[in-house]
Amino acid sequence: MVDVFEEVEEQLRADRYRTLAVRYLPWIGGVLLAALIVALGVWGYQKYRQDGIDKASQAYAMGLTSLAHNDRDGAYLQFAQAANASSAAYKTLALMQQAGIRLAQQRSADAVSLLDQAAKAAPNPVIGDAARLESAYLLLDTASLSEIEDRLKPLTSKTDSSYNALGREAVAMAKLRAGRTADARSDFVIVALLPNAPDNVRQRAQAARDLIDSGSPGQVAAIVKQALTLPPAPLPQPGAPTAGPAAEQPQAQSQDQAPAGGAAQ
């Protein structure tokens, strides 16, 4: 009799398990399917991202090679391929290289436009600020003071910016050109006292202040412009594509030299 009760109880348990399975199995299957979709999505995104970095790296390297052989037109097209890839770092640097090529071809307006695009696409403030500073340098002789100040506000408003001193120097130059000599002198005094300003920038600021005090403000522009036409520091280069996300973190330019639009020279 005991065996009969146990058999009935076992049958009831089996029926209960089947009922639970019928009720919850679709939910369990849905959860597992969702987890699989998420895993495949993450893998697909990572692969897409890495493929984009690899393609941009190859195109950027080919552009540098073409520049080394003085093939500017070929380099421009190869940098365009790098700029169209999904890597923000390569896109920014490729646009800056294209700007250098256009500047060497005496197409300053195109160079400024490319630098503006580079600043917007920059993956970090250091590279973006370098592009903003370059575009401001190209416009110092033609743009209004307010435009120069607006372009350089991201640099001059941040004391921790790598290009804060250079941005302030450019604004002082724009004020001097606009006839605001006293304001320009005040800015040069501040630049000369900035603790994080490169030595050569402080020296230029001190020389500019002395020239203004001696009644020769017209010579300031010549001194600063001569400094800005010196060989530029090399553009920051991205790391190897195999480094993963770190490949999109280029090293910053040296603060000792101003970035110049002649990167492709």
Side-chain angles (χ1 to χ4, degrees), residues 31-47:
V31 170
L32 292 176
L33 179 60
L36 178 61
I37 292 174
V38 170
L40 289 175
V42 171
W43 174 82
Y45 172 76
Q46 290 177 341
K47 187 175 187 306

Side-chain angles (χ1 to χ4, degrees), residues 212-234:
I212 292 174
D213 290 344
S214 68
S216 305
Q219 297 181 25
V220 177
I223 291 175
V224 176
K225 285 184 179 180
Q226 183 179 6
L228 298 183
T229 58
L230 294 175

